[in-house]
């Protein structure tokens, strides 16, 4: 099988070593969203309802939130081991690299510029002119329908689905696998994700070094 022309990565838990860029804000603000997360995974609430609930919890705790407060939540977050090397090597081979994330755009944008990826999309907030949070923006990426963004990327770059490989760590990331394309489950973060990968029969890489996916991108080739 020929190597890919494009690799589309999830961000949280794949290119970055954090669990969730939404969770990072809760940890920093001393709030939590466990119950809503469970409802979200069970598909009882959608991305927009989840984001609205997060924002109301933060506002309730902090009164108001500045853009800089959000950026500061990510000061301790690191890139996944091997992420820089994998992205560089892909781009050196002429492979397009994109991020499709339902995470927080302030964070995903930081990762995108650190890694100099070709394209990225994520969810985010509306800010007033002084940088204070107004509320969540309507979702740009639906966690369980990430294929919509992958398909848009495919069309813009005139690619065949067969030329695309997506990489994600969450069960919802399987939705990145548009028909005809491939998917790699990387370092599944939760048991529901591992179960979802298994029932979708996708290759699973249990490692916290992104270089481990290389033999699956380019059949049998070591990094
Ligand atoms: Mg993830």
């Amino acid at each position: 099988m020929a190597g890919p022309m494009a690799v589309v990565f999830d961000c949280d838990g794949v290119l970055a070593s954090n669990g969730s860029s939404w969770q990072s804000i809760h940890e920093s603000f001393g709030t939590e969203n466990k119950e809503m997360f469970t409802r979200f995974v069970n598909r009882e609430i959608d991305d927009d309802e989840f984001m609205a609930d997060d924002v109301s919890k933060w506002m309730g705790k902090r009164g108001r939130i500045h853009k800089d407060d959000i950026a500061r939540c990510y000061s301790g977050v690191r890139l996944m081991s091997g992420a820089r090397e994998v992205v560089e090597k892909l781009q050196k081979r002429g492979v397009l690299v994109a991020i499709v994330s339902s995470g927080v755009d302030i964070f995903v944008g930081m990762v995108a510029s650190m890694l100099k990826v070709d394209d990225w999309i994520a969810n985010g907030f509306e800010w007033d002119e002084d940088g204070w949070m107004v509320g969540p923006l309507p979702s740009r990426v639906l966690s369980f329908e990430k294929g919509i963004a992958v398909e848009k990327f495919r069309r813009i770059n005139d690619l065949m689905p067969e030329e695309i490989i997506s990489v994600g760590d969450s069960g919802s990331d399987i939705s990145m696998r548009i028909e005809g394309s491939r998917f790699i489950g990387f370092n599944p973060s939760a048991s529901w994700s591992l179960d979802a990968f298994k029932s979708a029969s996708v290759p699973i890489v249990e490692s916290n070094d992104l270089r481990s996916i290389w033999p699956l991108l380019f059949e049998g080739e070591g990094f």
Side-chain angles (χ1 to χ4, degrees):
M1 207 180 296
M5 299 293 288
V7 180
V8 183
F9 291 98
D10 171 51
C11 183
D12 297 346
V14 175
L15 292 175
S17 65
N18 63 328
S20 152
S21 48
W22 297 93
Q23 188 56 36
S24 300
I25 302 176
H26 283 291
E27 277 162 21
S28 168
F29 288 2
T31 50
E32 61 93 10
N33 65 353
K34 287 191 186 74
E35 187 203 328
M36 288 301 269
F37 181 73
T38 303
R39 294 185 61 197
F40 179 67
V41 169
N42 292 333
R43 315 286 301 272
E44 292 162 23
I45 57 164
D46 64 17
D47 289 83
D48 292 292
E49 289 168 313
F50 198 12
M51 288 193 279
D53 182 77
D54 278 347
V55 167
S56 77
K57 280 177 177 147
W58 303 334
M59 292 283 198
K61 182 84 184 232
R62 300 284 293 241
R64 59 178 192 167
I65 298 159
H66 197 269
K67 217 171 186 174
D68 296 340
D69 299 329
I70 298 294
R72 262 195 294 274
C73 297
Y74 304 111
S75 56
V77 179
R78 298 180 184 286
L79 292 175
M80 184 65 69
S81 301
R84 199 180 286 279
E85 291 81 357
V86 166
V87 171
E88 270 175 16
K89 197 163 169 175
L90 285 171
Q91 290 178 325
K92 216 174 273 177
R93 289 198 182 183
V95 177
L96 284 171
V97 176
I99 303 173
V100 170
S101 168
S102 54
V104 176
D105 57 2
I106 290 181
F107 176 65
V108 179
M110 283 161 40
V111 172
S113 69
M114 275 192 271
L115 295 174
K116 302 184 184 72
V117 302
D118 300 286
D119 198 2
W120 67 278
I121 185 167
N123 290 327
F125 312 101
E126 187 186 348
W127 306 96
D128 73 12
E129 56 197 13
D130 299 317
W132 296 101
M133 190 184 287
V134 176
L137 278 175
S139 51
R140 302 184 189 104
V141 178
L142 300 171
S143 299
F144 287 90
E145 292 173 62
K146 292 175 84 173
I148 297 169
V150 176
E151 172 58 20
K152 194 171 164 198
F153 168 79
R154 184 199 71 75
R155 251 187 296 120
I156 291 169
N157 293 287
D158 199 18
L159 295 161
M160 303 282 287
E162 294 74 17
E163 294 170 330
I164 300 172
I165 299 181
S166 299
V167 185
D169 71 318
S170 167
S172 56
D173 291 328
I174 296 171
S175 65
M176 297 167 85
R177 185 180 57 170
I178 56 171
E179 199 176 340
S181 72
R182 284 181 283 157
F183 178 86
I184 298 169
F186 173 72
N187 197 24
S189 46
S191 57
W192 75 275
S193 298
L194 182 61
D195 293 345
F197 291 164
K198 282 180 180 162
S199 45
S201 303
V202 294
I204 302 167
V205 175
E206 300 215 46
S207 157
N208 48 20
D209 189 315
L210 199 59
R211 283 168 283 216
S212 311
I213 67 170
W214 199 263
L216 291 172
L217 297 177
F218 298 94
E219 212 177 336
E221 195 182 299
F223 186 82

